[in-house]
Every structure is written in structure tokens, then in C-alpha cells.
Amino acid sequence: MANRHLSRSIVMQSLYEWDFWGKEDQDRLKKIVERNIGEFGPGISDADFIWNLINGIIGKLEDIDGWIVKYAPEWPLEQITLADRNVLRIGIYELLFGNREEVPPKVAINEAIELAKNFGGESSGKFINGVLGAIYKEIGEPGKDDK
């Protein structure tokens, strides 16, 4: 498993647990992430990618959740499964706020779909693809036509 994919898996599992217990406690999230890095990623040489994702998602959580509500209108945020909701948070963060040179939009979408297939239900991959695909369609790919 590639280092970045493993890192995203750790982020997803950490966000899932934090979301399950209630998102108010930032200290709890830090402890969860540290424990999960130790348990699931002892071979990860650089945890900066994990922490950048976690801190970025938490810093933009309200905005990200707003995008989820807008692009999954049939599903109230709290009715989306914990796995799907947190995979969407990772995908939307990377798609909208991440470094596009480091993680191109299509890579962000594909990685989120793979996380959904691994951690979500039978239709999670399609759901994640539909939401992220609709967002990508709206925002386009900035800089794509630059010479």
C-alpha cells in the first residue's frame, strides 16, 4: 500500500472515531491520530501528510460540510454514514483546498473512491464518486488551460 494511501486511511479512521465520539474535543482527535499512526502506520517515515490533512480538514470543517450538504441534498449530513461522511471530508478537502500540484483533483477523487470501497458500504464508492464528481464539474480544473 502506498504511503499516501495508507496515510489517508489513517486520517479516515481517525476522523471516523472522532466523529463517532463527538467532534467537540480537539485534544481527543490528536490522541486518536497519534494512536492510529502508531498502530496502523509504524512504517510511515513522514507523518506530516497525515497531520496536514487532519489540520486542514478540521480548519475547514464547516465549509467542507457545507459542500456535502449542497451536493448530497437528499441526505442530511447526520444521516450519511460515518465512513462516507469522513471520506467525503477528505476528498473535498483535497479537491478544494489541497495542493493541486501535489494531489491533482482526479487523484483526490480516485483516492476517496478507494477509501469508500475499503471502509464504506456496497454503494459507497458510487455515492462518493457522484458527490465529488459533481463538485469537480462545478469548479473545473483551475490552471488546466494555462500555458
Side-chain angles (χ1 to χ4, degrees), residues 8-24 28 32 57 61 64-65 68 75-91 112 115-121 124 127-128:
R8 286 182 185 93
S9 295
I10 291 170
V11 169
M12 204 301 281
Q13 291 174 78
S14 299
L15 290 172
Y16 181 106
E17 184 176 343
W18 180 64
D19 199 2
F20 178 82
W21 290 109
K23 301 179 306 238
E24 293 77 34
R28 176 180 285 183
I32 291 168
I57 291 165
L61 190 61
I64 292 168
D65 285 353
I68 295 171
W75 292 94
L77 188 63
E78 296 305 316
Q79 287 184 7
I80 297 172
T81 67
L82 282 169
D84 290 353
R85 183 168 58 229
N86 287 295
V87 168
L88 281 171
R89 287 174 174 155
I90 294 167
L115 286 174
K117 288 178 181 177
N118 289 334
F119 293 103
S124 292
F127 176 65
I128 300 300

Side-chain angles (χ1 to χ4, degrees), residues 59-78:
K60 300 278 188 184
L61 190 61
E62 194 172 309
D63 292 337
I64 292 168
D65 285 353
W67 283 89
I68 295 171
V69 168
K70 180 178 178 182
Y71 285 91
E74 306 83 31
W75 292 94
L77 188 63
E78 296 305 316

Side-chain angles (χ1 to χ4, degrees), residues 13 31 50 95 102 113 124:
Q13 291 174 78
K31 291 173 186 168
I50 293 170
L95 189 60
E102 198 174 293
I113 293 167
S124 292

Side-chain angles (χ1 to χ4, degrees), residues 30-50:
K30 183 179 179 193
K31 291 173 186 168
I32 291 168
V33 173
E34 288 171 351
R35 185 191 70 236
N36 285 343
I37 290 172
E39 186 173 339
F40 301 115
I44 290 179
S45 57
D46 183 14
D48 286 348
F49 183 73
I50 293 170

